[in-house]
Amino acid sequence: MGDLYVDGEMLDRVRHDLLHIVKVLKKPGEEMDQLDGTDMGVAKLASRMDDFGDEWSYGIKQLTKFSDRAADALLEIKKSFAGLDDDLAQALRQGGKGGGSGSA
């Protein structure tokens, strides 16, 4: 069986990138929410722009939500593996001190 290895620095980089995506996407989403189709002047175009803005804003909000959740999940994964690594190290230290329960 092979060793399991988690690259904590890589998880940090991916998490940072996901949080950056959240930050980058929030601004245009907020700006689209503030636009009004009547600024276009033509009623049919205004209506289409309102529809587009609503759909685009919803999509951006979903992307930011999913990116934020993915970043949170990566942090939990990193914490879990760090805890497992600490538990394993402690168990190995205790096992090396003759604390085993096997009989000879």
Side-chain angles (χ1 to χ4, degrees), residues 17 48 53 57 72 76 79:
D17 292 345
R48 297 284 257 214
S57 180
D72 290 345
E76 289 303 313
K79 287 179 181 178

Side-chain angles (χ1 to χ4, degrees), residues 36-84:
D36 186 353
T38 58
D39 294 336
M40 297 287 127
V42 179
K44 188 167 184 149
L45 179 58
S47 175
R48 297 284 257 214
M49 283 303 296
D50 283 339
D51 291 344
F52 170 76
D54 291 342
E55 290 174 16
W56 196 82
S57 180
Y58 173 78
I60 293 298
K61 285 177 185 175
Q62 292 300 329
L63 285 171
T64 58
K65 181 171 68 173
F66 296 143
S67 296
D68 204 23
R69 286 182 181 170
D72 290 345
L74 287 176
L75 182 59
E76 289 303 313
I77 290 168
K78 183 180 176 184
K79 287 179 181 178
S80 294
F81 273 100
L84 288 172

